[in-house]
Amino acid sequence: MATILNRGDGRRAIQFENIDGKRKTLGLGKCPTKSADAIKTKVEAILACKLAQTSFDSETARWVASLANSLHDRLAEFGLVESRQPTAKPVAVTLVVFLNDYLERRNEDVKGGTSVFYGHTVRNLTTFFGEAKTLAEVTPGDADDFRRHLQKTEKLSAATVVRRCALARTFIKDAVRRKLIDSNPFDGVGRGSTANPDRQRFIDQATIAKVIDACPNAEWRLLVALSRFAGLRVPSEPLLLRWQDIDLPAGRMLVHSPKTEHHAGKATRMVPIFPELRPYLEDAHELAVVGAEFVLPSLRKPGAVTGDWRSVNLGTMFGKIIKRAGLVAWPRAWHNLRSSRQTELTETFPSHVVTAWLGNSERIAEKHYLQVLDSHFERASTPSSAAPALRNTSETLSTASQPCSAANAKPLVLSGKPTKQGVCVTGLMGDTGFEPVTSTV
């Protein structure tokens, strides 16, 4: 049994015989009689459970859980309740340490150009926030300042600022999910369109014919043709193309895509060998060394192992070729070749077919590839509402090239003298990289 002791001035204590047989006194300070009596009742219930070696009933357990730390700590000193362990303070992780750890964890599933994009964003964050800034110290206001830093100091385009702020938001979201911080300071920062129509150019076939004529050798001519006439992503897809992937009699080739291989069923795709492309494939094959594996061996990184296309700089040389052709280099040189082909093909084939051939989605095509041309306006403004569709090289395409599996691909069989006759060089004139970095196809 426990007893309430009155010590004057409203101060009270509870005296009881502890489970070790020793008398203990629990001081309560100034405490109303009613409250002291309630505590005494609970202490007796706790002592009874301890002596019987049973668990607290639910009411007693709730009472113990609700105790203020000061009273709970005194009961813990007597061994009546378990001591409350202090909540460990989270380690203050710096932003730079977290970002480097994030990149290390994503090393296996982030490919090529996306990895480069990640690196640029980490560099921007490190430059702006410094190496001492902790994750917890980054505020929404800091995130706004970072966006303005990208615009004014780094002088990046609006679309690039949106993409890098979105990636920063993705980085910090991972920190929130790991409970390193409570909220994401980049939420709502720099949202907007990542498309940049100001850098789009339609490169017509007359223009690309001049560029191909200015190329130094057959491999370069084929590289440009693969980009403009088949819509391959440069450099990864052409540099991974093998002769065993080419089935000329069937008019198809198997394209390996590092950019999309982490998506189910997107590691490869079957692409038609378009009539404009065929002569350049035949030329390259005729000049290839017997037993050659890769279609473009001299353009690959010297000493590269199978599948290695990284660190290959084709942009500088391509710019020189364009200049040699007497033209002014267009923005996003390689990407706009791919964009021009997708715009062209969509005039003739259903969008879902074209996106299957080019390895993207209809949403991405509409956002980053398809262009509105002067010819569309001209055709729309003609008196006849039945004006024919845009005429371009697609008129000469085979009528029913459908994707097939790699298992059905036949080995390359070539016969006759290669010829470039019939290559269409008509089209719409315009001004024009890499595929836009996205996590979707």
Side-chain angles (χ1 to χ4, degrees):
M1 294 293 292
T3 303
I4 297 177
L5 303 177
N6 294 310
R7 293 181 168 176
D9 298 329
R11 294 181 295 110
R12 292 177 173 80
I14 296 175
Q15 193 173 74
F16 61 93
E17 185 177 309
N18 205 356
I19 54 178
D20 58 3
K22 296 180 180 180
R23 190 173 296 276
K24 302 292 182 181
T25 301
L26 175 65
L28 302 177
K30 288 187 177 183
C31 179
T33 302
K34 187 175 182 180
S35 297
D37 191 55
I39 294 172
K40 167 182 168 293
T41 301
K42 296 301 182 185
V43 168
E44 289 175 339
I46 292 172
L47 286 168
C49 290
K50 289 289 184 180
L51 290 171
Q53 297 183 348
T54 60
S55 301
F56 298 157
D57 59 77
S58 58
E59 183 181 349
T60 302
R62 284 194 298 271
W63 180 81
V64 170
S66 68
L67 288 176
N69 286 335
S70 56
L71 180 55
H72 189 280
D73 289 345
R74 290 197 295 274
L75 290 174
E77 289 177 7
F78 299 139
L80 299 182
V81 298
E82 294 292 330
S83 176
R84 286 175 177 168
Q85 296 295 327
T87 302
K89 294 183 179 180
V91 178
V93 179
T94 66
L95 178 63
V96 171
V97 168
F98 168 76
L99 291 174
N100 289 333
D101 178 67
Y102 182 89
L103 292 181
E104 183 68 26
R105 285 186 277 109
R106 295 298 306 276
N107 184 54
E108 293 300 322
D109 64 310
V110 174
K111 305 293 183 181
T114 303
S115 179
V116 173
F117 176 52
Y118 276 28
H120 287 322
T121 306
V122 169
R123 172 178 53 78
N124 291 148
L125 288 166
T126 302
T127 299
F128 181 76
F129 288 106
E131 297 191 2
K133 191 88 165 182
T134 66
L135 279 168
E137 292 173 336
V138 179
T139 66
D142 291 333
D144 288 330
D145 290 342
F146 174 72
R147 174 181 56 80
R148 286 187 283 268
H149 165 77
L150 295 179
Q151 292 174 325
K152 297 180 179 179
T153 305
E154 298 290 340
K155 301 187 184 303
L156 301 177
S157 69
T160 301
V161 170
V162 170
R163 285 196 294 269
R164 295 198 183 178
C165 286
L167 184 54
R169 186 162 53 249
T170 299
F171 290 159
I172 307 305
K173 180 181 178 180
D174 184 77
V176 175
R177 292 179 63 83
R178 295 177 187 280
K179 301 189 181 300
L180 297 176
I181 52 176
D182 296 327
S183 60
N184 192 338
F186 281 87
D187 280 343
V189 175
R191 293 188 181 274
S193 175
T194 59
N196 191 352
D198 292 339
R199 301 187 70 198
Q200 281 189 326
R201 300 290 188 277
F202 183 83
I203 311 306
D204 66 18
Q205 298 210 17
T207 299
I208 207 62
K210 294 178 181 179
V211 174
I212 291 176
D213 286 342
C215 289
N217 54 45
E219 284 193 36
W220 264 101
R221 289 191 288 273
L222 177 55
L223 175 65
V224 176
L226 285 167
S227 180
R228 178 58 180 83
F229 300 138
L232 268 58
R233 298 178 177 96
V234 176
S236 60
E237 294 177 351
L239 297 191
L240 291 178
L241 197 61
R242 296 170 171 83
W243 288 115
Q244 68 184 29
D245 300 325
I246 309 296
D247 187 356
L248 202 63
R252 304 178 185 187
M253 59 184 178
L254 184 67
V255 174
H256 298 261
S257 178
K259 179 178 175 61
T260 60
E261 66 183 4
H262 59 289
H263 296 286
K266 299 291 184 178
T268 62
R269 66 183 187 276
M270 199 63 72
V271 179
I273 297 177
F274 299 98
E276 310 96 313
L277 173 63
R278 181 180 290 265
Y280 302 103
L281 272 171
E282 293 177 344
D283 275 358
H285 187 268
E286 185 175 304
L287 297 172
V289 176
V290 176
E293 178 183 8
F294 291 98
V295 174
L296 302 172
S298 70
L299 299 183
R300 291 168 57 81
K301 186 178 179 181
V305 296
T306 299
D308 187 5
W309 52 269
R310 298 166 181 81
S311 304
V312 177
N313 181 8
L314 300 175
T316 301
M317 182 61 183
F318 191 39
K320 293 179 180 179
I321 292 172
I322 294 172
K323 185 176 180 180
R324 185 185 303 162
L327 303 170
V328 177
W330 51 85
R332 309 188 71 190
W334 294 113
H335 172 80
N336 274 312
L337 296 188
R338 181 170 153 85
S339 170
S340 298
R341 190 52 165 171
Q342 186 143 25
T343 300
E344 219 170 45
L345 292 175
T346 303
E347 294 288 332
T348 304
F349 298 96
S351 182
H352 73 281
V353 174
V354 179
T355 55
W357 289 343
L358 269 73
N360 54 21
S361 67
E362 295 185 52
R363 182 179 69 84
I364 291 298
E366 291 175 1
K367 188 174 183 180
H368 295 288
Y369 288 88
L370 299 181
Q371 303 182 41
V372 178
L373 309 178
D374 288 342
S375 63
H376 294 135
F377 286 92
E378 293 166 4
R379 196 168 78 233
S381 61
T382 57
S384 173
S385 60
L390 174 67
R391 299 298 179 186
N392 53 39
T393 181
S394 302
E395 289 181 319
T396 65
L397 302 180
S398 300
T399 58
S401 293
Q402 297 295 332
C404 70
S405 67
N408 294 329
K410 301 176 183 178
L412 175 66
V413 178
L414 296 172
S415 63
K417 180 68 177 176
T419 175
K420 295 186 178 61
Q421 292 179 355
V423 177
C424 177
V425 293
T426 61
L428 298 170
M429 183 63 184
D431 300 314
T432 217
F434 275 96
E435 169 88 359
V437 178
T438 70
S439 64
T440 57
V441 182

